[in-house]
Amino acid sequence: MSGSPVPPDAPARPAGPAAALAAASEHYLRGEPIEMSALAAELGVGRATLYRWVGSRERLLGAVLAEMTERTYRVAARGVAGDGAERIIRVLDRFMRAVVDAEPLKAFTERETRLFIRLATMPGTIEDRATELLTKEIQAEIDRGRLSVPLPTRTLAQAIVRVADSFMYAHYLGGNRPEIDQALEVVELLLRPCGESSGPPER
């Protein structure tokens, strides 16, 4: 549990920002709250030191969610068939469904819905990480000659991330449920020439 004393024979955790992120991520994955006083005690440092490492609780949570975004994306992209726009749409389909089904995220959003929406939908660490991952994915398809896009790659990736977020988190923004199918329809329009369509992605 959060705040439990560390056993005396437990291996020493390396100090620094990376250790703080790793410890916070462990609590997140267990569905536990991330409290700064308890985290500092767990790491064997004072609150002032922890804040010096991570900047603020909100910044630390943003870093944790960005790390989870990357982990989920890499799992979603593993073994996906197809190429060009078809591959990217399939990856996004798997990624978005994995995100909305993730139990740690459900636990976090039940406790801190407004904070999550602010972190997830505004420019910042999470959007930057998702944009970076998608930029690489799109550029790889361009480099293979399997995709041609009318916008700079990063601009397109950022637009797709923002579209995906607005639909994926629709249930937190006043809607009844995540609208992943609608998000994929819009992404397909951004990735494909007018009139070209592959139909819904296979799951």
Side-chain angles (χ1 to χ4, degrees):
M1 295 294 294
S2 178
S4 298
V6 178
D9 57 346
R13 189 192 293 271
L21 176 59
S25 296
E26 289 171 8
H27 286 289
Y28 171 84
L29 288 169
R30 292 195 295 265
E32 300 169 354
I34 298 172
E35 302 297 344
M36 299 300 276
S37 293
L39 190 61
E42 179 181 333
L43 293 166
V45 300
R47 279 172 55 92
T49 298
L50 179 59
Y51 277 98
R52 187 168 66 249
W53 286 349
V54 303
S56 67
R57 179 175 184 271
E58 186 168 314
R59 187 171 175 181
L60 175 61
L61 289 170
V64 169
L65 291 170
E67 184 75 11
M68 296 304 119
T69 295
E70 180 163 354
R71 291 187 193 183
T72 304
Y73 186 90
R74 294 195 183 284
V75 171
R78 196 176 299 156
V80 174
D83 53 44
E86 179 184 12
R87 171 181 165 75
I88 292 167
I89 292 168
R90 286 179 173 176
V91 170
L92 287 172
D93 182 46
R94 290 178 62 176
F95 169 74
M96 287 191 285
R97 295 184 195 281
V99 168
V100 300
D101 288 340
E103 292 301 327
L105 183 61
K106 290 177 182 178
F108 178 68
T109 55
E110 284 177 5
R111 289 192 304 270
E112 303 189 63
T113 305
R114 291 184 180 179
L115 175 58
F116 170 73
I117 290 300
R118 185 164 71 250
L119 291 172
T121 63
M122 294 181 65
T125 306
I126 303 170
E127 180 184 286
D128 289 346
R129 185 75 63 90
T131 298
E132 177 185 346
L133 291 164
L134 190 54
T135 297
K136 291 179 180 178
E137 193 82 48
I138 293 171
Q139 191 61 51
E141 296 302 317
I142 293 172
D143 292 344
R144 295 185 185 106
R146 297 169 177 171
L147 185 66
S148 177
V149 298
L151 296 170
T153 309
R154 183 175 176 81
T155 301
L156 177 60
Q158 186 177 51
I160 290 173
V161 167
R162 291 183 176 179
V163 165
D165 285 347
S166 66
F167 284 96
M168 183 165 51
Y169 303 130
H171 51 313
Y172 298 128
L173 299 169
N176 294 322
R177 57 182 176 76
E179 298 172 348
I180 292 174
D181 290 334
Q182 292 91 323
L184 295 172
E185 290 173 4
V186 176
V187 171
E188 184 168 5
L189 290 175
L190 291 172
L191 288 173
R192 294 185 180 280
C194 290
E196 182 183 344
S197 175
S198 64
E202 296 179 6
R203 300 188 192 121

